Amino acid sequence: MDSAYQLVMEPPSVDDYLRLRKESGLSERTREEAENGINGAWACAIVIHVESGETAGMGRVLGDGGWYFVIIDMAVLPEHQRKGIGDAIMTALLARIYESSPGAQVSLLADPPGRRLYARHGFVESAPGSIGMWRR
């Protein structure tokens, strides 16, 4: 990541969270969902575009602090993609996890746009040994 950006280990504002999800192609969330959940993460990282002050990217971790951790909300605004921001966020979040829990199990759900990023950071598909499941 070049010097035009600064990584900060804190959650995004609610407005930035909603904008990053929408503009990066993630599913949109309601303001109430964002307000209720934004500070519930175990760790967060945002990247600020220094000149404009705009939050250009984010990532969050849910976890129990001991063994299980899930990377969520990885998002970079389209105009700031391909500048190492996703890599910087993932590197910072993984460092935070492994500093706290060297034997941690880290998982994520990998939508197509993020799969190359996740593979670069050592993530592999868990199937057929296990598969991700979810419920709404």
Side-chain angles (χ1 to χ4, degrees), residues 41-74:
W42 183 84
C44 299
I46 58 171
V47 168
I48 309 287
H49 181 248
V50 175
E51 185 177 318
S52 67
E54 176 180 50
T55 301
M58 69 174 176
R60 301 188 320 136
V61 177
L62 298 179
D64 65 7
W67 168 246
Y68 293 107
F69 298 87
V70 181
I71 305 284
I72 62 168
D73 291 333
M74 289 291 296

Side-chain angles (χ1 to χ4, degrees), residues 14-95:
V14 170
D15 287 337
D16 286 340
Y17 176 81
L18 294 170
R19 182 175 52 84
L20 280 161
R21 286 192 62 89
K22 180 179 181 178
E23 293 182 19
S24 70
L26 297 179
S27 61
E28 292 185 48
R29 308 293 357 143
T30 68
R31 177 164 288 281
E32 181 179 13
E33 288 169 327
E35 289 170 349
N36 288 337
I38 200 79
N39 292 313
W42 183 84
C44 299
I46 58 171
V47 168
I48 309 287
H49 181 248
V50 175
E51 185 177 318
S52 67
E54 176 180 50
T55 301
M58 69 174 176
R60 301 188 320 136
V61 177
L62 298 179
D64 65 7
W67 168 246
Y68 293 107
F69 298 87
V70 181
I71 305 284
I72 62 168
D73 291 333
M74 289 291 296
V76 177
L77 293 174
E79 62 270 25
H80 296 282
Q81 292 176 359
R82 313 261 183 286
K83 297 180 181 180
I85 293 170
D87 279 311
I89 292 169
M90 182 63 75
T91 297
L93 292 176
L94 290 172

Side-chain angles (χ1 to χ4, degrees), residues 1-6 48-51:
M1 187 173 71
D2 70 40
S3 61
Y5 299 95
Q6 177 185 13
I48 309 287
H49 181 248
V50 175
E51 185 177 318

